[in-house]
Amino acid sequence: MHFAGILFDLDGTLVDTIPDLADAANAMRQDMDLPPLPEALIATFVGKGIEQLVIRTLSHDRQPPNVDQVMRGLARYQDHYRAFNGRHSQLFPGVQAGLEAFRSQGARLAVVTNKGSDFTAPLLRHMGLDSYFDVVVCGDTCERKKPDPLPLFHACDLLGIQTAQALFIGDSINDALAAQAAGIRALALPYGYNEGQPVQSLPVDAIVDSLVEAAQWAADQTPQFA
């Protein structure tokens, strides 16, 4: 019996969104009379939601921003990202084939992301992924974001499954800690962001090279359903 539900992170797991996130962040910095930052550096700021991305981007080369600066930066970032969302983003190799493989196993699929709902649904549509998912849990769906386990619990509830029937696939420490706290088995992909840190130290069941390999790993397991 295979896993009944597969939960996926979005940015860094299904879609390489860094080009658009970086463009929006640098446009925000330009609005606030700050020079642009390298895309690779901005990638290390991604993972804990838009607020932390803005704070990290604004505080990189000066004192931490005050509340007014954060609120201004957040508003400007959101305006820019609405325009850039999906423009240069790309699916990681093997994503669609992996999703098809999981569906062929009879699993229901969910996205669990720290990205806000205003940006998640348009991105999934733009990338042609929206039809794959039965459930989408965004950064503003629950009271707390990953690494808190609440969004994963919520996704399992919406899927109508127990956590022992689920598998979570992500690319970062936030994903790994959320899955660990929820008691959900987890896989990590090595090509994502993970705040600039290697994935080898993440507390996950395995590191797989692609979603196709993840689906094969899942097919080889015997989940212990409660």
Side-chain angles (χ1 to χ4, degrees):
M1 187 174 183
H2 301 312
F3 291 94
I6 312 296
L7 317 180
F8 301 88
D9 176 51
L10 179 55
D11 298 66
T13 298
L14 301 177
V15 184
D16 182 7
T17 54
I18 288 299
D20 298 327
L21 295 170
D23 284 349
N26 277 326
M28 172 197 69
R29 282 176 61 89
Q30 183 176 16
D31 290 344
M32 302 179 75
D33 299 319
L34 295 171
L37 297 176
E39 182 178 294
L41 176 62
I42 294 174
T44 67
F45 302 155
V46 173
K48 288 187 168 65
I50 186 174
E51 296 88 353
Q52 286 302 311
L53 173 59
V54 167
I55 291 171
R56 290 174 174 183
T57 302
L58 290 179
S59 61
H60 172 70
D61 46 9
R62 66 176 186 179
Q63 293 297 317
N66 59 39
V67 173
D68 289 342
Q69 290 169 330
V70 171
M71 295 306 294
R72 181 188 170 206
L74 188 59
R76 298 306 302 135
Y77 179 86
Q78 289 175 317
D79 286 343
H80 288 300
Y81 191 54
R82 285 189 183 93
F84 290 129
N85 189 15
R87 183 178 296 182
H88 298 296
S89 295
Q90 296 186 22
L91 296 181
F92 287 108
V95 164
Q96 287 186 307
L99 293 175
E100 292 286 357
F102 277 118
R103 292 214 313 196
S104 72
Q105 295 175 12
R108 301 186 71 202
L109 309 184
V111 165
V112 184
T113 176
N114 282 347
K115 186 186 291 292
S117 54
D118 287 350
F119 306 115
T120 299
L123 180 63
L124 290 173
R125 286 195 301 270
H126 182 80
M127 305 308 298
L129 296 180
D130 53 320
S131 63
Y132 285 100
F133 299 105
D134 302 286
V135 165
V136 177
V137 176
C138 303
D140 50 1
T141 301
C142 301
E143 293 180 359
R144 298 182 296 278
K145 301 180 177 71
K146 298 176 297 181
D148 192 281
L150 181 60
L152 277 66
F153 289 137
H154 186 58
C156 289
D157 287 343
L158 293 176
L159 290 173
I161 64 173
Q162 299 176 41
T163 55
Q165 297 173 287
L167 173 68
F168 186 73
I169 301 173
D171 68 298
S172 76
I173 185 63
N174 304 301
D175 301 322
L177 291 178
Q180 186 179 57
I184 294 175
R185 299 187 75 181
L187 301 178
L189 294 158
Y191 52 64
Y193 311 142
N194 195 33
E195 302 181 35
Q197 301 301 311
V199 300
Q200 281 70 26
S201 61
L202 294 181
V204 295
D205 292 87
I207 298 172
V208 293
D209 289 334
S210 69
L211 284 198
V212 173
E213 187 174 320
Q216 184 59 58
W217 184 94
D220 292 339
Q221 304 303 305
T222 305
Q224 299 299 311
F225 297 157

